[in-house]
Amino acid sequence: MPLIRPNFSDLRVTLATVNPSVLLIVLLSLVGLALALIVVVTIRRRSISKLSGAFDCSINVGEEYSSRPRWRLGVAVFSVTSLDWYPVFALTRRAAFRLPRADLDILVRRKPTSGEQYSVLPEAVVVDCSYGKADGRPRSVSLAMDTESLSTMASWLESSPPGFNPTMGRFT
């Protein structure tokens, strides 16, 4: 059986004869799509930031999900039953993390380490929290926020209705 060799000279002619206006249309379409994506992400972030109780907050993800933990920038919102965290660069309107108010405890407040300093917002305080003890699967999470947001979060946790937060005493 004779060996058939492909003729690449036809391919060169096809690529060389592509109309420049087609390339320009494709390029402008890609730029337009990128701009539309930027506009959608910006509008989403602004709409979440306008919610009552919203503040800028980074979260350390990856400790239990991958071998390389990393900080992600986002917006956290206090709701009645949970602290909802939304990533900045996403298209969904759902919270990526939902930390239950009844089971959330602040363990440690600290300054960012030298490795974390460039990953979180300037003048941020890192808060190590625990949650999930009620369902028997205790987990921990690290949040980075400014001091005003930290004070608000501590007040929000302490002001839960009676019987709502089992970690708080009756008359504390």
Side-chain angles (χ1 to χ4, degrees):
M1 196 184 277
L3 190 63
I4 300 174
R5 301 184 110 193
N7 187 359
F8 291 111
S9 62
D10 293 340
L11 182 63
R12 283 189 214 128
V13 170
T14 305
L15 291 177
T17 60
V18 172
N19 191 351
S21 63
V22 171
L23 291 176
L24 183 63
I25 290 171
V26 169
L27 180 66
L28 289 176
S29 298
L30 290 175
V31 169
L33 183 65
L35 287 175
L37 189 64
I38 290 170
V39 167
V40 167
V41 168
T42 303
I43 290 172
R44 178 190 162 274
R45 186 194 190 307
R46 287 185 186 231
S47 68
I48 292 172
S49 295
K50 287 183 179 180
L51 293 174
S52 179
F55 61 97
D56 290 332
C57 176
S58 298
I59 191 167
N60 192 356
V61 295
E63 292 171 349
E64 55 187 57
Y65 305 109
S66 72
S67 61
R68 192 181 76 185
R70 58 188 164 86
W71 286 94
R72 289 183 62 195
L73 181 63
V75 176
V77 180
F78 296 118
S79 71
V80 174
T81 59
S82 63
L83 178 68
D84 301 333
W85 184 85
Y86 300 88
V88 169
F89 303 109
L91 297 176
T92 182
R93 289 278 300 163
R94 291 185 355 179
F97 291 98
R98 190 162 276 194
L99 306 174
R101 181 179 186 178
D103 204 19
L104 186 62
D105 291 326
I106 297 175
L107 300 176
V108 178
R109 300 170 185 163
R110 60 181 173 84
K111 292 186 177 193
T113 62
S114 60
E116 297 172 329
Q117 185 176 3
Y118 298 107
S119 301
V120 297
L121 295 170
E123 300 180 12
V125 177
V126 176
V127 181
D128 296 327
C129 302
S130 69
Y131 68 99
K133 288 180 278 190
D135 62 359
R137 293 184 356 204
R139 296 176 291 275
S140 63
V141 66
S142 295
L143 304 170
M145 62 191 81
D146 61 359
T147 55
E148 292 176 4
S149 299
L150 175 57
S151 298
T152 306
M153 181 177 164
S155 297
W156 175 74
L157 286 173
E158 292 173 1
S159 67
S160 62
F164 191 78
N165 191 347
T167 61
M168 298 299 297
R170 183 172 176 198
F171 298 106
T172 57

